[in-house]
Amino acid sequence: MATTTENVSNGGGPMHEEKGDDLRPDDLSEMLAAGTKDIHEKAENTQFVKDFLRGRIRKELFKLGAVALYYTYTAMEEEIEINKDHPSFAALYFPSELHRHKALARDLEYFYGPQWQSEISCSPATQRYVDRIHQVGREDPALLVAYAYTRYMGDLSGGQVLKKVAQRALKLPATGEGLEFYHFDAIHSAKAFKQLYRSRMNELELDAETKDRLVEEAIKSFQFNIEVFEELEEIGKTFEEEVSEAEMPIHGDMGGDISKCPYYATKMAATDGTAYVCQLAMAVLRHPTGQVLIATWFAALAGLAAWYVM
């Protein structure tokens, strides 16, 4: 795949993405995409993710999700810093562009206040995720690539849709407080940066056995994320019903188009959007404004029928 030149920093001075060859099946980025396809589809079908994308978000649950992310990224970025010069990872070291734990700390301060660190704790599912990341960093740093790939590339893709949904559903400030995790101020083009990152992955000098292990570890990473989603879903069942007024699908600009989310893209293509139309109809029926419109439409129809038979 021919790539464009993009100015970014790689933890040091400026660098440029070089023009690459066409992608091959044995390129790491291709192997990871193909190898994680099934587990990715499983992640898209967790109830937590589906509810999130519909705008059915409880603020307390969103806060707990941010806590889980904080512990996960803190662990991952600690290990990345320790292993930043490792030959199997060094080319993917982009701290100023990608690292998220400081942004998450600011989000948690917004939600929990100045004493936020004493207000949060690591959940069991998140702790298993964190423990595995530290184990990989100590014992097999090459496998950190799997965690960086699944997290950062997701943040630059579907994460941008989630930001738009959360901002509207939770009525968060337009200035970005509470959502700094989703802001990548040092990346001017997410598309170009993702191309660069995949190109760097493909240039890593890894043997076939290591690539296979990376695919297996990426699947584990997705599974850890699924376990966190499922844990959040169970916690959500203990909360009082708190349906957001912003349940209706988010539109407006491309950044808020649910069809752009990688979780839904494959499924939408397969169903020609039928499921989405049904979801939209149900959302309209649930929404007070939609109910008024439907009632008005039926009233008008009844009036027309009465006029016709007179």
Side-chain angles (χ1 to χ4, degrees), residues 109-285:
E109 183 173 6
Y110 172 80
F111 286 118
Y112 289 97
Q115 306 302 316
W116 64 271
Q117 289 176 302
S118 64
E119 299 288 329
I120 67 171
S121 61
C122 190
S123 71
T126 305
Q127 189 63 57
R128 290 191 292 272
Y129 198 174
V130 165
D131 289 345
R132 179 56 183 170
I133 291 171
H134 284 309
Q135 181 183 8
V136 162
R138 290 191 307 268
E139 300 175 3
D140 198 349
L143 297 185
L144 285 173
V145 173
Y147 292 92
Y149 165 79
T150 56
R151 287 300 338 170
Y152 292 132
M153 294 300 97
D155 299 336
L156 287 168
S157 300
Q160 300 309 298
V161 175
L162 298 181
K163 175 183 71 174
K164 183 70 73 173
V165 174
Q167 188 168 47
R168 179 168 177 174
L170 300 178
K171 298 180 175 60
L172 295 173
T175 47
E177 288 92 335
L179 293 169
E180 291 196 40
F181 167 69
Y182 299 103
H183 297 168
F184 291 83
D185 294 336
I187 295 177
H188 303 295
S189 168
K191 180 179 179 180
F193 187 87
K194 286 185 289 185
Q195 287 182 333
L196 165 63
Y197 199 86
R198 294 187 183 105
S199 176
R200 288 294 194 90
M201 287 172 57
N202 295 335
E203 292 169 2
L204 294 173
E205 295 185 5
L206 304 171
D207 56 32
E209 187 266 340
T210 301
K211 289 181 180 180
D212 287 340
R213 289 192 300 112
L214 272 166
V215 173
E216 292 174 4
E217 198 67 31
I219 292 171
K220 289 181 183 178
S221 178
F222 268 107
Q223 186 58 46
F224 283 125
N225 280 290
I226 290 171
E227 290 173 7
V228 172
F229 293 154
E230 291 174 342
E231 182 182 65
L232 288 169
E233 176 64 21
E234 288 302 309
I235 293 172
K237 292 176 182 178
T238 68
F239 294 163
E240 292 183 7
E241 186 66 16
E242 179 193 320
V243 179
S244 168
E245 292 181 2
E247 266 184 53
M248 298 184 72
I250 306 301
H251 293 286
D253 54 34
M254 292 187 69
D257 186 349
I258 195 171
S259 68
K260 301 301 179 182
C261 178
Y263 281 151
Y264 271 38
T266 303
K267 184 175 291 183
M268 289 295 291
T271 62
D272 293 326
T274 302
Y276 174 70
V277 172
C278 292
Q279 290 172 8
L280 176 58
M282 291 303 294
V284 170
L285 287 172

Side-chain angles (χ1 to χ4, degrees), residues 50-65:
K50 290 192 289 187
D51 283 348
F52 197 144
L53 287 168
R54 291 170 183 149
R56 292 180 59 89
I57 311 170
R58 294 177 175 88
K59 189 171 185 179
E60 288 303 314
L61 207 58
F62 182 81
K63 289 162 60 176
L64 290 177

